[in-house]
Amino acid sequence: MIARRISRVLVLVGAAALAACSDPVPRPIEQAQPVERPVITLRGELPTRVPRAALVERAGITGVYVLDGGLARFRMIKPGGTLGANEVEILSGLTGNETIVLGELISLYDGRPIRKQ
C-alpha cells in the first residue's frame, strides 16, 4: 500500500506589506477617487521633524504617508523623541525632502490618489 502525502503551501506576507494597506479590501488605483488632504513639504533639514498628527500605525508599524506622483505611499519610519507639543523627531525612514500627507488619515491606503488641499 502506498501512503499519500498531502502538502500545503502557505504564503507568508511581511508586516510591512500588510501595513501598507489600511483598507481591508484593496481597490484598483484606477477606480479610486482622489481625496483632498493638506500636505506639508519638508525642507531637507536633519533631524527631520513632522507633526505628531502625521504619524499612523498600520499592522503595528509606525509610518507616515508620503505624496509620490499624486499617490499616498506608506513609509515606515522610526520616531524619536517629541519636540514641543506637536512635533516628533524622525530618526530614520525619511530624507527630509518629502511631502507628507496630513489630515484625516484613517481612510488612506498605499496608492490612494491625493489632491493637495
Side-chain angles (χ1 to χ4, degrees):
M1 186 176 243
I2 299 174
R4 290 187 182 200
R5 174 177 266 174
I6 298 175
S7 299
R8 292 185 186 182
V9 177
L10 299 177
V11 178
L12 301 177
V13 178
L18 291 173
C21 185
S22 62
D23 194 350
V25 180
R27 292 175 235 145
I29 293 172
E30 53 272 359
Q31 291 181 358
Q33 295 297 318
V35 293
E36 285 190 12
R37 295 290 185 269
V39 298
I40 184 170
T41 302
L42 304 177
R43 295 176 276 178
E45 299 172 358
L46 293 175
T48 303
R49 299 173 172 202
V50 299
R52 181 186 306 271
L55 300 181
V56 294
E57 190 171 307
R58 300 288 186 248
I61 297 174
T62 303
V64 296
Y65 281 104
V66 175
L67 190 61
D68 181 24
L71 302 176
R73 296 293 182 191
F74 182 82
R75 180 85 56 86
M76 184 171 36
I77 55 111
K78 180 178 181 182
T82 57
L83 304 168
N86 298 322
E87 289 187 322
V88 176
E89 180 181 19
I90 304 301
L91 301 177
S92 66
L94 296 175
T95 64
N97 295 314
E98 293 91 350
T99 299
I100 306 298
V101 180
L102 301 172
E104 193 264 310
L105 301 175
I106 292 175
S107 66
L108 281 188
Y109 55 88
D110 194 70
R112 179 84 190 247
I114 300 290
R115 278 193 312 258
K116 294 180 185 179
Q117 198 175 42

